[in-house]
Amino acid sequence: MKKYCFLTSILLLLLLFSSCTRKEKSVRYSYDFDNLPDRVWAGEDFWTIPLEDWQINEGRLECTGNSSNMRTNLITYPIKPGNGTFALDVTCGLMHKGDQEGTVGFSIGVKDDEDPDVKASCYFGKGLNLGVRTNGVLFIEDQTVSFPADFSWEKFHLQVEGNFSLKGKAITLRLMNEQQEEVAWLVKESIDKIEGLIVLGVNHHVASAFSNGPSFWFDDLEISGTKISYEEGNRFGAILWAMYTNSRNVLKLTAQLAPVSARVNGEVHLEIEEGDGWKKLATEKLRADSYTATFRVGNWNPDLEVNYRISYSENLKDGETSDYEYTGTIRKEPVDKPLVFGGMTCQYGYGFPYMPVVNNLLNEDPDILYFSGDQIYEGNGGYSIIRFPADRAILNYLGKWYMFGWAFGDVMKERPTICTPDDHDVYQGNLWGDGGRKIELEDWQEYAGTSGGYIEPAEMINVVHATQSSHLPDPYDPTPIDQGISIWYTDMVYGKISFAIISDRIFKSGPKEVAFWEEGRRDWITEQGIDLSRLDKPGLKLIGDRQFEFLTHWMKDWKGANMKVLLSQTLFANIPTHHGSIDGILAGDMDSGGWPQTPRNKVVDLLRRCYAFHISGDQHLPLFVQYGIDEFRDAGWAICTPAITVGYQRRLLPDRLGIPYQNRPAHNLDNTGEYIGGMGHKNYVYAVGNLPDNTRSELRYERAQLSSSGYSIITFDPESRDISCNAIRFLADADRLRPEDSFPGWPVTVNQFDNAGINRTGDKITIQSSGVLNPVLLVYDAKTEELLLSVRMKGDEFSGIVKGSGSYILKIGDPETERWKTISDIIANEIETSPVVVEF
Ligand SMILES: [Fe+2]
């Protein structure tokens, strides 16, 4: 068995080269790909872009695409700075001619100026391009030489030599025919420096995107020289990363693999460290479509802090195997301290690999992570989406999805991660899922993307759900939605916080059902003062009946929890006034959770009944808001976390538009206070992270900073019940946060009990209990039997507002021991003050 050796013939020969003053180490590596099984993944030393355009086939590396700038990054053997030599040799051949002129060759010294990390180099790096053009030209950048037209493209060799010394710097490129006879050569001198990745490129010298260009295969890649270094830490795969949750004694973990030859052999093993060795917990089959393996381990001890190891072996052609491992830590569940929660959303690709945010998360060390959606955007990676057929769409998605795990894997490997897909994750700029209905692309386009349903094949949607959410606690009701699409809404209890994890997209109705205007987008209300009640037809869905039923169950379940928090993708309010640009004024946006209004009010009412806080993302505008239903501030608080990297920009500038407000918070910041929102709701905006008018920057990370990108840290104290929120800017340094690193108005603290709404009216229930520590109180309407209030009391006394018939039933007790007392016939009203006394 070959340990950690995935390529059959890496020759590691240490040679000693002489230079004029001292001896330098030279290393020689070669890849012949002969022993590898046919698969999409090129191996742990390589990263291919776009993923779907490359494969290992019959012992060679093939580029099967026909577009521009297709590349295989050699991530482990970069060219290092300084003087020395290097030599590259590769065998290539034309696979498909296409009908456009193209190129094949290398980019060398590929490096991103802004971020030295190898991940940034792969996607944003620039280097020296060299190779051959299919019109019979050898090139090093702009320098060219022609070669005879009768050259055979079937098989040929490209050789590169770099000589960097005090005397001078030169690159030599040679084209050899199949018989190793020199066809043409070229030297480029006066080169400043070459430092960075070596990349195999196809159509890599074409500035603009094209299709139907040529494609090539590669084989027998050899690299040697004193200027080559080995970066073992850059290896990536075959187990790329893992995400896990643990809740109520069940550990769920999903291992994400690269596209290995899963159809041949696909077993993944999970072990935990015990004593001096490893104890096997479970073995699972690798899913052949998503390349995931999901483990479910019952009877998990939440007090255990333990290292885990995931392993996978792949059969090689010679009967040996390549063995891969990935390790991380399952943390002890925090119960005696506040729970620190990292809130993330929306990763627009220009900010990849989001290193400032990644480093800050590693420093801040949150107990749990939430990626609320848009873990990918369609343009991430710098190449287009493929919608059909399903298998191509899946590979195309995986290539973009892998960027997420490459960026955040080190953060996720050692703490629970909640991850839920949103619209862009399924290639729909806005998603009104309508319960999984199938919609044709043409139909969707005809109605400006406002018909309910999914465009992508169900197989692709299921891969999105498997890759992003299969490690969540078991779904509350796993019955698939239309087209057999899987569903994942669930709850998780961690650190004495009960999280409901739902989708506010999958069941949502499409605006086409109500939009009565003919002009423009049907999800956008551009005219002020239209009759919003016309958009609120009976039967329209927001979270859908199934998830509402789930929340009704969740709101009364306090086992192991002191506080409740709802996690969904977007805010249940329509807050921003400006979309896209500073001129893009919108009166309303039906993509927000403010629409449809009736189901929105219903879910916000449910949240206030159980004092739940709401965490969302999606808006690309950091917000801290108190919801209103009938009155301003008569419901709970919500945070919309900053996007990790903002692409599409939204702003809240009601002051600029002269929109009236009242009760501005004491901090007196612009654009805060009580405003009527786009869908007619009474929103109290406590804090907003507006971006400046001009956000232009040539630098990717600076552009992210200027666009109000960042993340949030939310601390739940299950004893004091305080919820402290900070929205932190992209370029902040978590080691020494300055006030200006938080968005204006943050940090801010509210208490769990504030989530009932300070302006709530109704009947007052006061209770005094003894004999049970922090009992759970449930208040039902005696007439309708509806649950009106559900809370984990803090101490022996509690007072809350309910809105019902005036006659109530109280149930008080301890869900852990199932000791309950029921008190019927409680008559309460607005001024009721004498407490109900309960003794256990
Ligand atoms: Fe987004």
Side-chain angles (χ1 to χ4, degrees), residues 37 39 41 238-239 257-270 284-286 291 293 309-315 321-326:
R39 64 186 189 199
W41 183 49
I239 302 159
L257 274 75
V260 291
S261 56
R263 284 167 190 85
V264 181
N265 58 334
E267 278 193 343
V268 185
H269 310 285
L270 175 65
E284 289 294 339
K285 273 247 172 280
L286 185 65
Y291 299 97
R309 180 167 79 173
I310 303 162
S311 56
Y312 172 78
S313 296
E314 188 162 51
N315 290 338
T321 59
S322 282
D323 303 333
Y324 303 100
E325 279 184 10
Y326 184 87

Side-chain angles (χ1 to χ4, degrees), residues 410-553:
D410 285 348
V411 191
M412 298 189 288
K413 69 196 284 183
E414 52 188 34
R415 69 206 82 221
T417 300
I418 297 167
C419 180
T420 61
D422 198 0
D423 43 14
H424 291 278
D425 298 291
V426 295
Y427 294 177
Q428 281 179 246
N430 288 328
L431 176 65
W432 344 83
D434 208 1
R437 197 169 78 95
K438 171 82 191 154
I439 181 174
E440 299 301 327
L441 180 60
E442 298 72 33
D443 193 16
W444 189 71
Q445 283 164 339
E446 183 178 347
Y447 295 104
T450 54
S451 283
Y454 285 85
I455 302 164
E456 289 302 294
E459 300 96 301
M460 185 270 194
I461 308 296
N462 281 339
V463 164
V464 174
H465 290 186
T467 53
Q468 302 210 6
S469 307
S470 58
H471 67 289
L472 295 182
D474 297 341
Y476 175 71
D477 171 4
T479 310
I481 55 174
D482 280 6
Q483 303 189 67
I485 290 173
S486 59
I487 189 75
W488 43 261
Y489 61 90
T490 187
D491 70 331
M492 172 167 176
V493 178
Y494 197 72
K496 290 190 180 167
I497 314 296
S498 160
F499 296 98
I501 306 163
I502 65 164
S503 171
D504 47 39
R505 312 291 197 190
I506 290 176
F507 293 93
K508 189 170 178 175
S509 309
K512 188 192 152 198
E513 296 189 32
V514 291
F516 50 82
W517 50 94
E518 297 299 324
E519 297 290 306
R521 283 177 59 159
R522 293 174 148 227
D523 54 335
W524 280 359
I525 303 158
T526 48
E527 221 174 293
Q528 295 285 349
I530 73 154
D531 179 4
L532 293 169
S533 67
R534 290 179 69 186
L535 304 177
D536 194 20
K537 276 202 318 202
L540 292 175
K541 309 289 186 217
L542 176 56
I543 67 166
D545 302 339
R546 280 178 61 178
Q547 291 190 116
F548 196 81
E549 191 274 319
F550 155 64
L551 288 184
T552 309
H553 166 86

Side-chain angles (χ1 to χ4, degrees), residues 346 374 377 424 618 620:
C346 297
D374 293 350
Y377 279 85
H424 291 278
D618 165 66
H620 315 168

Side-chain angles (χ1 to χ4, degrees), residues 60-353:
R60 60 190 196 183
L61 174 67
E62 297 181 347
C63 177
T64 56
N66 59 10
S67 57
S68 60
N69 203 16
M70 299 175 288
R71 56 210 190 273
T72 288
N73 299 274
L74 176 57
I75 54 181
T76 41
Y77 301 116
I79 300 173
K80 63 187 179 189
N83 288 338
T85 61
F86 63 88
L88 314 175
D89 195 331
V90 72
T91 307
C92 334
L94 185 69
M95 288 175 60
H96 303 287
K97 194 166 179 296
D99 56 19
Q100 300 228 43
E101 181 194 313
T103 60
V104 62
F106 292 97
S107 301
I108 55 174
V110 173
K111 203 168 156 247
D112 178 40
D113 291 337
E114 209 171 320
D115 185 339
D117 191 274
V118 62
K119 302 185 273 285
S121 297
C122 284
Y123 287 92
F124 299 101
K126 300 246 179 322
L128 188 84
N129 292 328
L130 45 89
V132 279
R133 288 187 198 166
T134 50
N135 63 347
V137 166
L138 196 67
F139 71 92
I140 304 178
E141 291 286 307
D142 297 337
Q143 209 173 314
T144 59
V145 62
S146 298
F147 54 86
D150 60 354
F151 176 77
S152 167
W153 290 93
E154 210 168 298
K155 186 176 182 185
F156 55 93
H157 307 273
L158 284 170
Q159 292 175 353
V160 183
E161 272 174 39
N163 280 293
F164 288 67
S165 69
L166 290 173
K167 290 183 201 149
K169 300 176 171 68
I171 301 277
T172 307
L173 173 65
R174 284 190 176 80
L175 171 65
M176 325 284 280
N177 65 15
E178 189 176 351
Q179 293 73 36
Q180 296 278 8
E181 297 155 349
E182 190 173 276
V183 177
W185 62 277
L186 196 56
V187 180
K188 186 174 173 69
E189 289 172 328
S190 334
I191 292 161
D192 179 26
K193 58 178 180 183
I194 296 286
E195 170 190 342
L197 298 183
I198 296 163
V199 177
L200 294 171
V202 175
N203 305 332
H204 62 310
H205 199 52
V206 182
S208 57
F210 68 61
S211 58
N212 210 17
S215 59
F216 292 88
W217 57 264
F218 297 85
D219 206 349
D220 298 319
L221 172 65
E222 287 185 20
I223 303 125
S224 60
T226 56
K227 243 177 102 60
I228 304 282
S229 65
Y230 178 49
E231 301 293 337
E232 188 182 0
N234 286 355
R235 288 187 315 194
F236 191 40
I239 302 159
L240 300 175
W241 80 96
M243 295 192 283
Y244 75 87
T245 59
N246 54 317
S247 173
R248 302 189 204 241
N249 303 103
V250 176
L251 171 74
K252 293 273 296 281
L253 182 147
T254 294
Q256 178 69 66
L257 274 75
V260 291
S261 56
R263 284 167 190 85
V264 181
N265 58 334
E267 278 193 343
V268 185
H269 310 285
L270 175 65
E271 299 163 295
I272 52 168
E273 199 169 16
E274 207 173 73
D276 293 335
W278 294 89
K279 176 184 143 191
K280 189 176 255 184
L281 282 186
T283 295
E284 289 294 339
K285 273 247 172 280
L286 185 65
R287 265 181 68 153
D289 52 0
S290 57
Y291 299 97
T292 55
T294 300
F295 301 90
R296 185 186 191 281
V297 183
N299 295 319
W300 184 259
N301 173 8
D303 293 331
L304 192 65
E305 176 131 343
V306 67
N307 293 329
Y308 65 85
R309 180 167 79 173
I310 303 162
S311 56
Y312 172 78
S313 296
E314 188 162 51
N315 290 338
L316 300 172
K317 283 183 179 168
D318 64 3
E320 298 275 354
T321 59
S322 282
D323 303 333
Y324 303 100
E325 279 184 10
Y326 184 87
T327 55
T329 307
I330 310 289
R331 288 194 174 191
K332 172 185 183 322
E333 181 176 343
V335 282
D336 301 321
K337 72 174 214 37
L339 185 79
V340 181
F341 178 105
M344 279 72 63
T345 189
C346 297
Q347 300 168 40
Y348 212 77
Y350 74 82
F352 179 84

